[in-house]
Amino acid sequence: MVQASAPGKCILFGEHAVVYGQPAVAVAIDQRMNVGIETSEEWRIDGMRFHPERHPHVEALKQRLWEDGPPLSIKIFGEIPPASGLGSSAALSVAASAALRCARGRQLIDDDWAEGWTAARPNNVYEGPWEFVMGDSLEVGAKAVDVDECAILSHAVEAVAQGGKASPLDSSTCSHGGCIVLSDKVESDLNWLYSRNLNDVSWEVHSIDLNIPDDVWLVVGSTGIHAPTSQQVAKVASVLEENPDRMREIETIGIISRRGIDALMKGDMEGVGRAMSENHLLLRSLGVSCSELEALITAAAPSSLGVKLTGAGGGGCMIALTRNPKETSEAIELAGGRTLISRLASPGMRVDNDENCPIWEPK
Ligand code: PMV
């Protein structure tokens, strides 16, 4: 079985403000999604018949990478809870793109790519149709897999699954791993990776080299409440519409995010924690916290360097930066949350098994 995996993510700074052009910072977490594939008599996911409408990400990837290929049996397993703002669907898409590319290999002409998608090539992955160009040789297995291609494919299929709207924050973080910063402009102090465009919106995607001491952890606490991101984004939009002066709060979140980035690069964990807690106060004032999130945040605060909601809010998850992960996690659980413990900035997409590749070659 060909197998690949990708990490989940959480947002450290800048959610909601990123919708208005401010920078957002996400880190990959230790919890991963794994995808295994092998050829089969008919299309199956986890032993059940494959229904494209139940698995829109897999269906959209199938169209881009496996158009004429034989049926596959796909196994999906992992530790990232779904629909909680931790990037489970992006991690699934990244791992599935890696597994599919690994399994079919990549056509080359004169050692250069004859097919595939990267930032350096015409970016038609969002539109199609996709032509498979036959090359004079075939790169196979893990060597055929490209981290940027996984990010771009994952962004494209997230957009399909979400009705045309998706920022590249999840797809880039789950693919590259580490720490990713999204902004509406190139940030001169950061490592610029590429631009992404979708439906007239464009983003500049950067990575940053972190300097994180070994004794610092993230504890993610889930409220178990599912609040759709679109509702929370609409809530902030209506706050700003009623009172345009409150755009200052959005700008302040941007200033705090930049301070957070500085502290992350210097390894100043107290500074990172302070910026997180300040970011949370602004999110709360914009109306995207809720009593369940506040209960978990209050419980985690005494043992943490910083605490905030992460992602869209209204439910979902909070995060605590802490040197006492056990104590912080117990406090959150006592207050009714489910917890995960992670390092900051875990490794990105990985091919875990590429034996017997390619498992199928286009004719
Ligand atoms: O919970 P998530 O990971 O979907 O994060 C949403 C982040 C927002 O800034 C609220 C929305 C967005 O599109 O950036």
Side-chain angles (χ1 to χ4, degrees):
M1 176 168 279
V2 176
Q3 204 168 304
S5 63
K9 71 96 199 15
C10 66
I11 299 180
L12 279 189
F13 300 109
E15 50 274 267
H16 288 289
V18 68
V19 174
Y20 301 91
Q22 302 296 333
V25 184
V27 287
I29 56 175
D30 292 346
Q31 290 68 25
R32 302 178 75 85
M33 291 297 281
N34 306 273
V35 174
I37 56 177
E38 59 195 352
T39 52
S40 161
E41 296 284 293
E42 55 176 354
W43 280 93
R44 291 195 163 267
I45 289 200
D46 293 332
M48 321 266 272
R49 272 207 26 221
F50 172 59
H51 294 282
E53 64 289 354
R54 277 192 222 154
H55 297 280
H57 299 84
V58 175
E59 173 60 20
L61 283 172
K62 180 175 163 238
Q63 288 172 18
R64 286 162 176 77
L65 280 173
W66 207 257
E67 208 169 35
D68 307 322
L72 295 173
S73 167
I74 304 177
K75 283 214 164 56
I76 299 172
F77 55 101
E79 309 134 341
I80 310 171
S84 53
L86 299 179
S88 66
S89 66
L92 162 67
S93 306
V94 168
S97 335
L100 288 169
R101 174 58 77 196
C102 195
R104 63 169 279 154
R106 187 190 306 282
Q107 300 287 336
L108 303 178
I109 293 176
D110 292 340
D111 289 338
D112 193 11
W113 285 21
E115 49 142 354
W117 294 276
T118 69
R121 280 168 191 267
N123 180 351
N124 68 354
V125 70
Y126 303 97
E127 283 153 25
W130 302 277
E131 253 180 60
F132 293 117
V133 181
M134 288 305 286
D136 50 27
S137 59
L138 185 72
E139 185 96 86
V140 298
K143 283 203 303 279
V145 179
D146 178 85
V147 68
D148 178 34
E149 182 181 56
C150 292
I152 205 168
L153 278 165
S154 167
H155 185 216
V157 304
E158 287 255 284
V160 170
Q162 298 171 21
K165 276 199 181 156
S167 95
L169 188 58
D170 284 21
S171 46
S172 293
T173 310
C174 298
S175 199
H176 295 272
C179 181
I180 293 290
V181 179
L182 211 70
S183 178
D184 68 343
K185 58 174 188 291
V186 174
E187 304 280 340
S188 54
D189 299 341
L190 313 181
N191 313 321
W192 178 81
L193 294 176
Y194 41 71
S195 309
R196 285 277 190 267
N197 302 295
L198 179 63
N199 300 333
D200 297 331
V201 188
S202 69
W203 298 270
E204 303 300 335
V205 183
H206 313 72
S207 65
I208 50 179
D209 300 324
L210 297 185
N211 193 350
I212 308 280
D214 280 348
D215 63 342
V216 173
W217 302 80
L218 272 181
V219 180
V220 181
S222 170
T223 60
I225 300 168
H226 176 54
T229 299
S230 56
Q231 270 176 23
Q232 301 303 310
V233 171
K235 202 169 183 182
V236 173
S238 79
V239 166
L240 295 172
E241 205 173 301
E242 266 167 41
N243 190 347
D245 281 351
R246 296 194 66 180
M247 193 54 89
R248 275 203 212 111
E249 290 167 47
I250 298 284
E251 287 157 11
T252 309
I253 293 181
I255 293 168
I256 293 171
S257 299
R258 292 200 159 83
R259 210 186 315 133
I261 293 170
D262 257 14
L264 279 168
M265 295 202 296
K266 285 189 193 128
D268 168 14
M269 291 297 117
E270 277 70 19
V272 175
R274 266 195 308 277
M276 285 169 61
S277 297
E278 284 171 25
N279 191 162
H280 178 71
L281 295 181
L282 285 151
L283 289 166
R284 186 167 75 186
S285 123
L286 286 168
V288 291
S289 192
C290 63
S291 57
E292 291 83 355
L293 276 169
E294 290 302 315
L296 304 190
I297 284 171
T298 307
S303 60
S304 301
L305 299 169
V307 274
K308 68 184 275 292
L309 70 81
T310 185
C317 293
M318 49 72 68
I319 47 173
L321 185 74
T322 178
R323 292 203 172 92
N324 312 293
K326 189 163 175 286
E327 189 182 340
T328 305
S329 162
E330 280 169 5
I332 295 172
E333 299 243 348
L334 269 176
R338 298 281 305 272
T339 57
L340 299 171
I341 299 177
S342 172
R343 297 226 172 248
L344 280 86
S346 299
M349 174 277 290
R350 193 172 65 211
V351 173
D352 297 305
N353 186 9
D354 69 349
E355 276 165 33
N356 305 322
C357 284
I359 62 173
W360 166 68
E361 254 183 87
K363 295 277 174 296

